[in-house]
PDB file of all heavy atoms in Angstrom:
ATOM      1  N   PRO F   5     126.884 159.811 258.005  1.00  0.00           N
ATOM      2  CA  PRO F   5     126.213 159.827 256.699  1.00  0.00           C
ATOM      3  C   PRO F   5     127.210 159.737 255.550  1.00  0.00           C
ATOM      4  O   PRO F   5     128.215 160.447 255.538  1.00  0.00           O
ATOM      5  CB  PRO F   5     125.490 161.180 256.704  1.00  0.00           C
ATOM      6  CG  PRO F   5     125.381 161.570 258.124  1.00  0.00           C
ATOM      7  CD  PRO F   5     126.596 161.010 258.786  1.00  0.00           C
ATOM      8  N   ILE F  33     127.018 161.713 241.215  1.00  0.00           N
ATOM      9  CA  ILE F  33     125.576 161.924 241.273  1.00  0.00           C
ATOM     10  C   ILE F  33     124.819 160.687 240.804  1.00  0.00           C
ATOM     11  O   ILE F  33     125.091 160.149 239.729  1.00  0.00           O
ATOM     12  CB  ILE F  33     125.169 163.150 240.439  1.00  0.00           C
ATOM     13  CG1 ILE F  33     125.707 164.432 241.105  1.00  0.00           C
ATOM     14  CG2 ILE F  33     123.647 163.236 240.280  1.00  0.00           C
ATOM     15  CD1 ILE F  33     125.473 165.699 240.318  1.00  0.00           C
ATOM     16  N   ASN F  35     121.245 159.732 239.669  1.00  0.00           N
ATOM     17  CA  ASN F  35     120.018 160.360 239.209  1.00  0.00           C
ATOM     18  C   ASN F  35     118.808 159.545 239.666  1.00  0.00           C
ATOM     19  O   ASN F  35     118.708 158.354 239.386  1.00  0.00           O
ATOM     20  CB  ASN F  35     120.019 160.463 237.685  1.00  0.00           C
ATOM     21  CG  ASN F  35     118.685 160.940 237.152  1.00  0.00           C
ATOM     22  OD1 ASN F  35     118.153 161.944 237.586  1.00  0.00           O
ATOM     23  ND2 ASN F  35     118.131 160.191 236.205  1.00  0.00           N
ATOM     24  N   LEU F  45     113.630 160.436 225.962  1.00  0.00           N
ATOM     25  CA  LEU F  45     112.944 161.579 226.586  1.00  0.00           C
ATOM     26  C   LEU F  45     113.975 162.640 226.929  1.00  0.00           C
ATOM     27  O   LEU F  45     114.813 162.437 227.806  1.00  0.00           O
ATOM     28  CB  LEU F  45     112.206 161.130 227.857  1.00  0.00           C
ATOM     29  CG  LEU F  45     111.258 159.942 227.702  1.00  0.00           C
ATOM     30  CD1 LEU F  45     110.534 159.674 229.008  1.00  0.00           C
ATOM     31  CD2 LEU F  45     110.265 160.158 226.566  1.00  0.00           C
ATOM     32  N   LEU F  90     130.632 153.222 244.879  1.00  0.00           N
ATOM     33  CA  LEU F  90     131.222 154.540 245.133  1.00  0.00           C
ATOM     34  C   LEU F  90     131.890 154.573 246.505  1.00  0.00           C
ATOM     35  O   LEU F  90     133.018 155.062 246.652  1.00  0.00           O
ATOM     36  CB  LEU F  90     130.150 155.625 245.051  1.00  0.00           C
ATOM     37  CG  LEU F  90     129.536 155.889 243.674  1.00  0.00           C
ATOM     38  CD1 LEU F  90     128.454 156.954 243.771  1.00  0.00           C
ATOM     39  CD2 LEU F  90     130.601 156.316 242.678  1.00  0.00           C
ATOM     40  N   ALA F 109     111.740 153.914 247.459  1.00  0.00           N
ATOM     41  CA  ALA F 109     112.250 152.567 247.203  1.00  0.00           C
ATOM     42  C   ALA F 109     113.728 152.457 247.565  1.00  0.00           C
ATOM     43  O   ALA F 109     114.170 151.470 248.147  1.00  0.00           O
ATOM     44  CB  ALA F 109     112.040 152.199 245.733  1.00  0.00           C
ATOM     45  N   ALA F 119     106.201 138.141 245.250  1.00  0.00           N
ATOM     46  CA  ALA F 119     106.243 137.026 246.193  1.00  0.00           C
ATOM     47  C   ALA F 119     104.859 136.663 246.728  1.00  0.00           C
ATOM     48  O   ALA F 119     104.713 135.681 247.457  1.00  0.00           O
ATOM     49  CB  ALA F 119     107.171 137.368 247.358  1.00  0.00           C
ATOM     50  N   LYS F 129      86.224 139.851 242.853  1.00  0.00           N
ATOM     51  CA  LYS F 129      85.405 140.977 242.390  1.00  0.00           C
ATOM     52  C   LYS F 129      83.934 140.584 242.324  1.00  0.00           C
ATOM     53  O   LYS F 129      83.042 141.385 242.671  1.00  0.00           O
ATOM     54  CB  LYS F 129      85.889 141.443 241.001  1.00  0.00           C
ATOM     55  CG  LYS F 129      85.095 142.621 240.426  1.00  0.00           C
ATOM     56  CD  LYS F 129      85.206 143.852 241.320  1.00  0.00           C
ATOM     57  CE  LYS F 129      84.653 145.106 240.661  1.00  0.00           C
ATOM     58  NZ  LYS F 129      83.211 145.015 240.324  1.00  0.00           N
ATOM     59  N   MET F 140      82.411 144.016 252.457  1.00  0.00           N
ATOM     60  CA  MET F 140      83.788 143.586 252.186  1.00  0.00           C
ATOM     61  C   MET F 140      84.775 144.460 252.954  1.00  0.00           C
ATOM     62  O   MET F 140      85.790 143.971 253.464  1.00  0.00           O
ATOM     63  CB  MET F 140      84.073 143.642 250.683  1.00  0.00           C
ATOM     64  CG  MET F 140      83.271 142.647 249.857  1.00  0.00           C
ATOM     65  SD  MET F 140      83.690 140.917 250.208  1.00  0.00           S
ATOM     66  CE  MET F 140      85.217 140.744 249.254  1.00  0.00           C
ATOM     67  N   ALA F 166      94.171 142.582 249.794  1.00  0.00           N
ATOM     68  CA  ALA F 166      94.479 142.339 251.204  1.00  0.00           C
ATOM     69  C   ALA F 166      93.626 141.218 251.776  1.00  0.00           C
ATOM     70  O   ALA F 166      94.109 140.367 252.535  1.00  0.00           O
ATOM     71  CB  ALA F 166      94.289 143.623 252.011  1.00  0.00           C
ATOM     72  N   ILE F 287     115.002 167.534 255.627  1.00  0.00           N
ATOM     73  CA  ILE F 287     115.550 168.813 256.091  1.00  0.00           C
ATOM     74  C   ILE F 287     115.115 169.869 255.077  1.00  0.00           C
ATOM     75  O   ILE F 287     115.645 169.941 253.964  1.00  0.00           O
ATOM     76  CB  ILE F 287     117.083 168.745 256.193  1.00  0.00           C
ATOM     77  CG1 ILE F 287     117.503 167.640 257.162  1.00  0.00           C
ATOM     78  CG2 ILE F 287     117.657 170.094 256.636  1.00  0.00           C
ATOM     79  CD1 ILE F 287     118.989 167.307 257.102  1.00  0.00           C
TER      80      ILE F 287
END
Side-chain angles (χ1 to χ4, degrees):
I33 292 175
N35 172 51
L45 307 184
L90 292 178
K129 180 61 169 61
M140 294 294 281
I287 301 168

